[in-house]
């Protein structure tokens, strides 16, 4: 790479650990940018791009030059669906309960994303502005975000995200993905690791049992239903809310 080149697009997204809908394939190539008037690189396996966007900042990730997190998110507006763009934004602004060694979180604040979108004039700026309205603090995974968006579109009340739950005596019961506090309903995404990792599975089983004993109603949504029949997943959550007295 030349000294003025930097990773951008999907490559930058992967370097920022953004959860993308597809795993990396060689056909995706490596996305490399340069600022105009310099010409984009042309090489086998390289997808070159020229930028005239003066809002781009180039930062270091793993010692390599990459577009800043907020600019990377804006550039994804042309390649991701609305829900995946929101999930990407949720990931960037997340202040995690536990930070991985060597990482500084959040990668961007909601204020930084907002300011960047205001100055962004790319072809898909409108998509970025729409997605910005649905970004929330607290979502810890792409499926959690997608489940929340399906529930919101169905007219369910907006849940609190990743909330610590305690018993009446103050004992910690666990963290709820999506909490409808007033109705004591919890919506949980049950990922594959919860089934294949026996240690994690046992922890989750005890956590769910604790919720139930303390009069919470957990609704667990598996991957196949969320991505195969999301309406059915939402209907299960809605049924629990209605049983608890919620009405649209």
């Amino acid at each position: 790479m030349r000294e003025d080149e930097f990773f951008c697009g999907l490559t930058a997204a992967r370097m920022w650990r953004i959860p993308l809908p597809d795993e990396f394939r060689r056909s995706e190539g490596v996305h490399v940018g340069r600022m105009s008037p310099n010409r984009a690189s042309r090489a086998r396996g390289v997808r070159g791009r020229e930028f005239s966007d003066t809002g781009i900042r180039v930062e270091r990730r793993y010692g390599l030059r990459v577009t800043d997190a907020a600019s990377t998110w804006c550039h994804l507006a042309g390649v991701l669906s609305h829900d995946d763009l929101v999930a990407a934004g949720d990931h960037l602004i997340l202040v995690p309960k536990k930070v991985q060694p060597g990482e500084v979180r959040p990668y961007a604040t909601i204020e930084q994303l907002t300011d960047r979108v205001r100055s962004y004039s790319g072809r898909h700026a409108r998509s970025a502005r729409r997605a910005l309205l649905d970004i929330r603090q607290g979502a810890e995974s792409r499926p959690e975000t997608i489940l929340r968006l399906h529930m919101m579109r169905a007219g369910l009340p907006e849940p609190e995200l990743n909330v610590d739950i305690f018993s009446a005596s103050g004992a910690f019961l666990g963290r709820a993905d999506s909490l409808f506090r007033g109705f004591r309903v919890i919506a949980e995404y049950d990922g594959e690791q919860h089934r294949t990792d026996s240690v994690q599975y046992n922890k989750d089983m005890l956590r769910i049992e604790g919720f139930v004993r303390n009069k919470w109603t957990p609704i667990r949504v598996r991957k196949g239903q969320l991505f195969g029949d999301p309406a059915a997943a939402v209907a299960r959550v809605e049924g629990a809310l209605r049983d608890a007295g919620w009405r649209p």
Side-chain angles (χ1 to χ4, degrees):
M1 293 177 69
R2 302 179 180 91
E3 290 186 359
D4 64 340
E5 290 179 319
F6 46 85
F7 291 112
C8 62
L10 291 175
T11 304
R14 296 194 187 280
M15 294 177 72
W16 286 111
R17 299 176 179 265
I18 289 173
L20 299 177
D22 299 315
E23 296 293 330
F24 175 79
R25 297 186 178 92
R26 290 181 64 87
S27 59
E28 180 179 303
V30 177
H31 295 238
V32 178
R34 294 183 87 190
M35 298 304 296
S36 181
N38 295 324
R39 301 297 298 274
S41 290
R42 295 289 183 266
R44 184 177 180 181
V46 174
R47 295 176 180 262
R49 182 174 175 182
E50 298 170 24
F51 290 94
S52 58
D53 182 359
T54 57
I56 291 175
R57 293 183 295 106
V58 176
E59 300 185 7
R60 291 276 178 179
R61 287 281 290 166
Y62 312 114
L64 303 172
R65 289 164 54 83
V66 59
T67 50
D68 64 279
S71 294
T72 299
W73 184 78
C74 287
H75 299 157
L76 292 175
V79 296
L80 295 183
S81 68
H82 174 83
D83 287 7
D84 277 317
L85 191 58
V86 174
D90 284 355
H91 165 79
L92 293 176
I93 71 165
L94 177 66
V95 179
K97 302 289 184 180
K98 295 182 180 179
V99 180
Q100 294 180 332
E103 291 286 359
V104 178
R105 305 292 299 270
Y107 297 128
T109 64
I110 189 63
E111 291 78 17
Q112 288 171 330
L113 287 184
T114 301
D115 289 344
R116 189 67 186 90
V117 168
R118 285 173 179 164
S119 66
Y120 184 63
S121 58
R123 290 175 53 195
H124 301 281
R126 183 176 297 178
S127 296
R129 289 195 292 270
R130 285 199 303 268
L132 185 68
L133 298 176
D134 285 336
I135 293 174
R136 298 291 186 273
Q137 178 60 247
E140 295 184 341
S141 72
R142 172 176 174 259
E144 288 179 26
T145 293
I146 291 175
L147 176 58
R148 172 174 61 84
L149 293 174
H150 280 302
M151 293 189 297
M152 289 174 61
R153 279 194 290 267
L156 302 190
E158 184 166 344
E160 300 173 54
L161 304 180
N162 280 292
V163 180
D164 289 342
I165 304 296
F166 297 87
S167 70
S169 63
F172 177 66
L173 300 175
R175 200 158 73 243
D177 289 357
S178 297
L179 176 70
F180 300 90
R181 187 184 300 273
F183 304 97
R184 300 190 71 81
V185 170
I186 298 169
E188 294 266 308
Y189 175 72
D190 187 3
E192 292 297 314
Q193 77 278 8
H194 298 274
R195 178 174 56 83
T196 58
D197 184 331
S198 60
V199 174
Q200 184 63 50
Y201 181 84
N202 287 333
K203 288 181 179 178
D204 285 342
M205 181 180 66
L206 294 174
R207 182 171 60 92
I208 295 299
E209 287 179 359
F211 289 157
V212 173
R213 284 199 309 272
N214 286 270
K215 311 304 181 184
W216 294 92
T217 302
I219 305 298
R220 305 180 77 177
V221 178
R222 296 294 300 277
K223 177 180 179 180
Q225 187 171 61
L226 177 60
F227 294 100
D229 191 0
V234 172
R236 292 171 56 214
V237 179
E238 180 176 353
L241 288 169
R242 286 182 178 273
D243 288 347
W246 174 77
R247 295 294 181 270

